[in-house]
């Protein structure tokens, strides 16, 4: 039980020690137990001559594995992003905390959490990681992974998409030039991103002052 005064549960020995003259190893399966809890135990054996009780011993059960939640990515640019999650250590010291990420749900790359360890408390701790060197206009998968003495937990798969590069634009020569009209020309490469504004600026100086929609 959780105290030696008194013990609250018992389990039969296996196998029975019989009636020989040598020590026999016996075991007993204690269950169900609570995680991350100290238990006391002792052996008790009786024959016709009386009952003997062993010394008190203790053990501590393992904590539950961390509880992890993958959160949405933030601060997304063309080549960088911040990955976010929460980790509840469940009262077991977190010995490893990292994010897995990559272009598919197979991930392939890891980055340590910040802070590097969420500690050993019993509440959710926010963790994050900055990743760099990403490709523009690309979808990435990521998840959180955290380990304590009770095991490793991995969060759900989340995705984010990096921003596209800005449009590539080239101003071309004007055409159909008359006394009071002209056609302004250019090319625009959206670079995989929906163009939300397109206009040509014009004026009598390079301060322009007027514009016309594409």
């Amino acid at each position: 039980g959780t105290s030696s005064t008194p013990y609250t549960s018992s389990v039969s020995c296996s196998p029975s020690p019989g009636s020989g003259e040598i020590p026999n190893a016996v075991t007993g399966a204690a269950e169900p137990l609570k995680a991350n809890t100290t238990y006391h135990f002792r052996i008790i054996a009786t024959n016709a001559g009386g009952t003997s009780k062993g010394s008190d011993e203790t053990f501590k059960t393992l904590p539950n594995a961390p509880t992890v939640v993958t959160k949405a990515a933030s601060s997304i640019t063309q080549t960088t992003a911040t990955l976010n999650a929460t980790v509840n250590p469940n009262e077991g010291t977190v010995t490893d905390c990292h994010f897995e990420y990559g272009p598919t749900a197979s991930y392939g790359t890891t980055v340590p959490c910040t802070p590097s360890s969420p500690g050993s408390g019993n509440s959710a701790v926010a963790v994050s990681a900055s990743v760099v060197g990403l490709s523009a206009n690309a979808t990435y998968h990521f998840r959180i992974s955290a380990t304590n003495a009770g095991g490793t937990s991995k969060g759900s798969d989340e995705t984010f998409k990096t921003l596209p590069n800005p449009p590539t634009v080239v101003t071309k020569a004007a055409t159909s030039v008359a006394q009071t009209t002209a056609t302004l020309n250019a090319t625009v490469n959206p670079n995989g991103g929906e163009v939300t504004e397109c206009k040509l600026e014009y004026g009598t100086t390079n301060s322009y002052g007027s514009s016309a929609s594409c």
Side-chain angles (χ1 to χ4, degrees):
T2 55
S3 171
S4 61
T5 54
Y7 301 95
T8 55
S9 302
S10 65
V11 61
S12 297
C13 298
S14 179
S16 173
S19 58
E21 293 287 341
I22 60 173
N24 292 286
V26 295
T27 62
E31 56 184 354
L33 304 177
K34 295 180 180 179
N36 204 42
T37 301
T38 298
Y39 284 87
H40 294 253
F41 73 102
R42 67 180 176 185
I43 181 68
I44 299 178
T46 301
N47 65 12
T51 297
S52 296
K53 298 181 179 182
S55 61
D56 179 72
E57 298 289 337
T58 62
F59 66 92
K60 189 173 184 179
T61 53
L62 296 178
N64 289 319
T67 301
V68 297
V69 180
T70 312
K71 299 288 190 177
S74 60
S75 302
I76 300 168
T77 71
Q78 286 87 352
T79 59
T80 64
T82 298
L83 311 182
N84 301 294
T86 61
V87 177
N88 183 335
N90 288 328
E91 297 185 343
T93 300
V94 174
T95 54
D96 178 72
C97 180
H98 65 267
F99 289 89
E100 302 172 328
Y101 72 97
T104 71
S106 296
Y107 309 108
T109 306
T110 63
V111 60
C113 298
T114 300
S116 58
S117 173
S120 57
N122 197 29
S123 59
V125 177
V127 296
S128 63
S130 296
V131 293
V132 299
L134 306 177
S135 298
N137 201 41
T139 297
Y140 285 87
H141 295 251
F142 72 102
R143 68 180 177 185
I144 182 67
S145 175
T147 301
N148 66 12
T152 297
S153 296
K154 294 181 183 291
S156 60
D157 179 73
E158 297 290 336
T159 62
F160 66 91
K161 189 172 184 179
T162 52
L163 298 180
N165 287 318
T168 301
V169 297
V170 179
T171 309
K172 299 289 188 176
T175 57
S176 303
V177 179
Q179 288 84 351
T180 59
T181 62
T183 298
L184 312 180
N185 300 294
T187 62
V188 178
N189 183 339
N191 286 327
E194 183 72 25
V195 175
T196 56
E197 181 186 45
C198 180
K199 62 184 181 181
L200 294 117
E201 298 177 319
Y202 66 96
T204 55
T205 71
N206 59 9
S207 295
Y208 308 108
S210 300
S211 64
S213 297
C214 300

